[in-house]
Amino acid sequence: MNAQEPAPTRRGLSTPEELLTVPQVMARLQLGRSAIYDLIRTRQLASITLGRARRIPAHALTDFIRTRLEQEAA
């Protein structure tokens, strides 16, 4: 890989993966803190831990919403 080429990411994009904080996810889903942590704990919403900080990849939030929409449509 050339030093000038951007590193590929999981989804083939040239931009780094956006990581959201719990308060950002709370705002986007209009849910409380406990509800978000329950979704993380039950593995319905993927997250990573960086030190003591919990982060949710933006694609994980998109996947969660898409899955819930598909479940509601079924």
Side-chain angles (χ1 to χ4, degrees):
M1 180 184 304
N2 186 324
Q4 295 175 343
E5 292 178 27
T9 61
R10 180 177 173 267
R11 296 201 178 252
L13 304 174
S14 61
T15 57
E17 184 69 49
E18 181 183 9
L19 296 175
L20 304 171
T21 64
V22 170
Q24 288 172 321
V25 174
M26 288 168 54
R28 291 184 187 196
L29 294 180
Q30 297 182 357
L31 292 173
R33 184 173 187 261
S34 296
I36 300 303
Y37 279 106
D38 283 343
L39 292 172
I40 292 169
R41 182 180 48 76
T42 59
R43 300 181 189 260
Q44 295 177 61
L45 182 60
S47 70
I48 61 171
T49 304
L50 301 171
R52 294 182 63 196
R54 178 69 64 175
R55 296 291 182 262
I56 296 93
H59 74 83
L61 181 58
T62 303
D63 293 346
F64 169 75
I65 294 169
R66 184 180 304 115
T67 300
R68 292 300 294 255
L69 286 171
E70 290 170 358
Q71 288 173 350
E72 293 290 323

